[in-house]
Amino acid sequence: MEESEFDFIGDLDAWRAIHSIDPESSVNVLVDKIGKLGDLSLLQTALSELPDWFENDSYGFSLGQTWPFERREELLAALPPEHWHAVILPLVSNTDPEVGLDWLLSVFRAQTTPQMVRGNLVARMDWVGEMIQNSNRSPEERAALRAEFEGESSSSMGKIVAGDVSRFLRGEEDRFYQFHTGNVGASALLDELLKHRSSLEGHEDEVRSKVFAHLAETNLHLALELYENDSLETVDDQKLRAAREAFHGVNPEKFLQLMQSVGPGNEEMLEVWKGKTESNLERYGEDYLSWLRSLPEEPQKWLALEAVVEMGQERYPELVEDAQLQIQNR
């Protein structure tokens, strides 16, 4: 049984006997046989013998993984629509990503596809979104596809590019770690990414900004290589953008260093501090305020304390009171 050596096609009576003893294992082996053989007759027999077997989506997943993709329409025709979602996604993951995505979209868009099936696919948007994100289509096309599935909560092109950059830096080769250890420079990483993902052509500025935001978290000085030929105003804009979009869960010391490197008097600074304050209060509590109190008397300290006053009113009244006192006594 465990080695899938039992021939169910030749003796379903024997399979029924085994099923009465070990239902889960017997269904696993049966599904494996049906998928690998692409046997519609055996599938119909299984559906009549086990009308509730698809209540466990893992069986449908196994069937979709093993069923021949070129015979996908036959499989859907044989299954009740309420079970399509269980096989569609593993089916498309078992072929060329672009071909699979095109077919998935055709199923989703077809007027003959029941609304229930569309709803089930939308409910599995994490997986569908991963397929879209890994597509070779342009960021605009991928953003439009996500919007088609997600409706009003569609991803912006910036989020699409951010996903590309993140997967590239933190993939199997972990280029982020290579940068962290000094084995590769920021510009070399940017060049490699643009060569690796041709669909990003025409979005070089956005890609550079996203790469900088990621790398600045670990080493701001080395990340600035990406903007070494740009004006100070441009560099400051990119630093503040990185501060807004990245530096989540990062040591506040690193965030402070980034903010201190921005030219004085920038009107966005308070808003940027506010964007990180609530999570810092949640993570560090009183320790966060103690750290702020220990900082030198410089603009970033007061901006950070003002952010505490504005962002902590509801959940951290005692810390807010302390921060207000610090500001009054400056």
Side-chain angles (χ1 to χ4, degrees):
M1 278 275 308
E2 292 177 359
E3 296 176 5
S4 302
E5 292 178 349
F6 186 75
D7 185 359
F8 296 113
I9 299 175
D11 193 346
L12 277 171
D13 286 335
W15 178 82
R16 291 186 189 97
I18 296 172
H19 179 68
S20 68
I21 300 169
D22 189 350
E24 184 174 351
S25 294
S26 64
V27 174
N28 280 331
V29 177
L30 180 58
V31 169
D32 187 61
K33 286 283 186 181
I34 294 171
K36 288 179 178 177
L37 295 173
D39 193 309
L40 285 172
S41 174
L42 188 56
L43 174 60
Q44 293 291 3
T45 300
L47 288 169
S48 62
E49 293 276 335
L50 303 162
D52 299 327
W53 70 306
F54 263 101
E55 289 182 4
N56 184 339
D57 279 356
S58 66
Y59 296 142
F61 184 91
S62 298
L63 181 61
Q65 280 192 314
T66 53
W67 188 271
F69 179 76
E70 62 273 13
R71 296 179 55 205
R72 57 197 178 275
E73 302 296 345
E74 294 177 55
L75 178 60
L76 292 192
L79 293 175
E82 60 265 28
H83 298 323
W84 284 12
H85 71 275
V87 299
I88 285 178
L89 294 177
L91 263 172
V92 298
S93 69
N94 202 23
T95 187
D96 176 86
E98 295 302 310
V99 174
L101 181 55
D102 281 337
W103 179 65
L104 173 66
L105 293 171
S106 71
V107 172
F108 185 79
R109 292 165 175 166
Q111 293 186 356
T112 54
T113 297
Q115 186 58 40
M116 169 187 58
V117 175
R118 293 193 186 92
N120 283 330
L121 290 175
V122 170
R124 287 157 176 77
M125 187 60 213
D126 285 348
W127 195 350
V128 176
E130 192 66 23
M131 290 176 57
I132 293 172
Q133 188 78 293
N134 283 313
S135 167
N136 289 322
R137 291 165 169 83
S138 72
E140 290 89 349
E141 289 178 288
R142 284 182 280 153
L145 289 178
R146 286 188 67 96
E148 184 176 347
F149 275 89
E150 295 180 346
E152 294 181 0
S153 60
S154 61
S155 294
S156 68
M157 188 198 69
K159 288 183 179 178
I160 295 288
V161 174
D164 287 352
V165 171
S166 179
R167 274 190 303 278
F168 173 78
L169 293 177
R170 302 178 187 274
E172 290 183 6
E173 297 185 31
D174 203 344
R175 295 170 177 88
F176 187 84
Y177 179 75
Q178 294 177 32
F179 171 79
H180 177 72
T181 55
N183 292 323
V184 63
S187 295
L189 280 179
L190 177 61
D191 291 342
E192 185 184 356
L193 170 56
L194 291 173
K195 290 177 183 176
H196 171 77
R197 202 67 191 260
S198 59
S199 63
L200 294 174
E201 183 178 355
H203 300 279
E204 289 81 2
D205 287 344
E206 183 70 13
V207 173
R208 180 169 63 147
S209 178
K210 299 297 186 187
V211 171
F212 174 74
H214 276 281
L215 301 185
E217 288 184 355
T218 187
N219 192 316
L220 174 62
H221 176 70
L222 294 180
L224 284 170
E225 176 188 344
L226 294 171
Y227 290 98
E228 60 185 356
N229 297 319
D230 290 76
S231 67
L232 290 176
E233 182 180 1
T234 297
V235 174
D236 279 351
D237 287 344
Q238 290 302 322
K239 288 177 180 177
L240 289 173
R241 182 174 180 181
R244 288 192 302 271
E245 297 180 358
F247 286 80
H248 302 294
V250 173
N251 187 326
E253 284 279 3
K254 286 185 174 290
F255 183 75
L256 174 63
Q257 291 169 11
L258 174 68
M259 297 300 286
Q260 287 173 328
S261 71
V262 178
N266 194 298
E267 296 179 358
E268 290 186 53
M269 284 186 175
L270 178 58
E271 291 302 313
V272 173
W273 270 108
K274 285 163 61 177
K276 296 295 184 287
T277 295
E278 197 166 1
S279 62
N280 284 335
L281 288 173
E282 186 173 339
R283 284 191 298 155
Y284 301 111
E286 171 62 31
D287 289 340
Y288 181 62
L289 205 60
S290 297
W291 173 69
L292 290 179
R293 283 197 298 263
S294 71
L295 296 179
E297 307 287 303
E298 52 103 0
Q300 297 303 324
K301 173 178 182 173
W302 309 119
L303 287 171
L305 286 169
E306 286 183 44
V308 170
V309 172
E310 292 198 36
M311 301 303 294
Q313 295 283 353
E314 291 186 12
R315 295 179 59 190
Y316 307 97
E318 293 182 3
L319 298 183
V320 167
E321 186 178 348
D322 192 336
Q324 287 174 323
L325 185 61
Q326 296 294 317
I327 294 171
Q328 290 170 5
N329 294 334
R330 60 183 293 184

